[in-house]
Amino acid sequence: MTIGVDLGGTKIKAGIEKNGSIIHQNTIFLRQKESLSATLSQLIDLIKPLTHYPATGIGIGVPSVVDTERGIVYNVANIPSWEKVALRDILEEEFNLPVFVNNDVNCFTLGEHRFGVAKDFDSVVGMTIGTGLGSGIIIDNQLYTGHNCGAGEIGMLPYRDHNFEYYACSNFFDGIHGTSALEASHAAVAGDKQALGLWSEFGVHLGCAIKAVMYVFDPEAIILGGSIAKAYPLFKAGMLEALNDFAYPQSLKRLKIMQSQDDTISLLGAAALVSQEVKVKV
């Protein structure tokens, strides 16, 4: 058994992984995010009940750049007090268990590769679509993080007058079009033509980001996760339309694009960081 933790900007999830499933899960909403001590206390209180299980270690995914060797996280998204936190040392001292820290999208991708829809592929890119657009990379069955745990930031690549993230995450709806992805999905399901057009346009932007992934990594599979990926049927056609001009059509025919099916997959991926079988390429 291992403990997996998914630290987000608004809430934290933690669970026990056993035989590829989460058997017990706790969730809390973050309070006093401007206070490092308060947020760390919440995190510790969330994990503590899970240490009553015979866990062999703790893996944690955070939305930030991570020094994976020292377990230090920097400038965690939407938690202003977490500018530089020696998270591994803090949690190892608290729980007397080995702790492994990595980026949250890397954990999502690792979870899909070890336990989810990507487990039959050797090379995978996971893309989470929500508040931002994040990516994680598996090459030859190993998680690739880059030298500074910054590999896979496809969303930061220049695109049009901004970058891919500007057009292919929640900002497309609330920042550009003055609505929300949830409102747009309800309207589209009800047959609203304007909303359907928005989703088609969103799909085109995401498709362009996927082309960038293909040109750089040429993976066997791309797995889409995150809150907006749940609307996959609404943007799929626009996404595929954008892929039509990909320069290598035979490569595109072999590519599998799939939607994540497991809401606990990021916890499973974080827990998998503990496994001695996981070797992180840099």
Side-chain angles (χ1 to χ4, degrees), residues 28 38 58 61 73 80-81 110 118 122 143 166-167 179 183 242-243 255 258 280 282:
I28 57 171
I58 301 169
V73 302
S81 57
L110 181 61
D122 296 336
L143 181 64
Y166 185 85
Y167 290 98
T179 183
E183 291 171 347
L243 295 174
L255 174 69
M258 296 178 286
V280 180
V282 296

Side-chain angles (χ1 to χ4, degrees), residues 34-235:
E34 70 286 349
S35 169
L36 176 59
S37 60
T39 49
L40 283 173
S41 293
Q42 279 195 278
L43 175 62
I44 289 168
D45 289 345
L46 181 69
I47 296 172
K48 190 172 295 182
L50 300 178
T51 60
H52 298 155
Y53 292 84
T56 58
I58 301 169
I60 179 167
V62 296
S64 72
V65 171
V66 180
D67 181 335
T68 55
E69 292 186 3
R70 297 190 296 165
I72 299 174
V73 302
Y74 298 91
N75 304 113
V76 176
N78 298 311
I79 310 179
S81 57
W82 286 48
E83 294 183 358
K84 180 181 179 182
V85 182
L87 191 57
R88 185 191 67 186
D89 290 348
I90 292 169
L91 295 182
E92 286 187 344
E93 181 177 355
E94 179 69 31
F95 296 115
N96 196 30
L97 286 170
V99 174
F100 302 84
V101 188
N102 213 301
N103 174 267
D104 57 347
V105 186
N106 288 340
C107 289
F108 164 79
T109 307
L110 181 61
E112 290 290 359
H113 181 252
R114 291 287 297 274
F115 306 108
V117 297
K119 60 186 177 183
D120 295 326
F121 301 102
D122 296 336
S123 60
V124 178
V125 172
M127 301 179 73
T128 57
I129 318 163
T131 304
L133 177 65
S135 301
I137 306 160
I138 300 287
I139 299 175
D140 293 335
N141 294 306
Q142 295 185 32
L143 181 64
Y144 178 79
T145 64
H147 186 61
N148 300 293
C149 198
E153 292 293 342
I154 299 299
M156 296 295 101
L157 292 177
Y159 173 64
R160 295 195 171 186
D161 54 339
H162 289 279
N163 56 25
F164 282 118
E165 186 169 84
Y166 185 85
Y167 290 98
C169 71
S170 63
N171 183 69
F172 173 79
F173 297 96
D174 53 38
I176 299 175
H177 292 287
T179 183
S180 70
L182 183 60
E183 291 171 347
S185 65
H186 289 326
V189 169
D192 183 273
K193 290 184 178 180
Q194 183 177 0
L196 288 166
L198 277 184
W199 280 108
S200 179
E201 182 183 347
F202 177 85
V204 169
H205 295 311
L206 182 63
C208 290
I210 288 174
K211 283 191 290 188
V213 168
M214 286 292 291
Y215 285 126
V216 175
F217 299 109
D218 188 24
E220 295 174 87
I222 294 175
I223 316 302
L224 304 179
S227 57
I228 294 180
K230 296 180 185 299
Y232 184 60
L234 297 176
F235 63 77

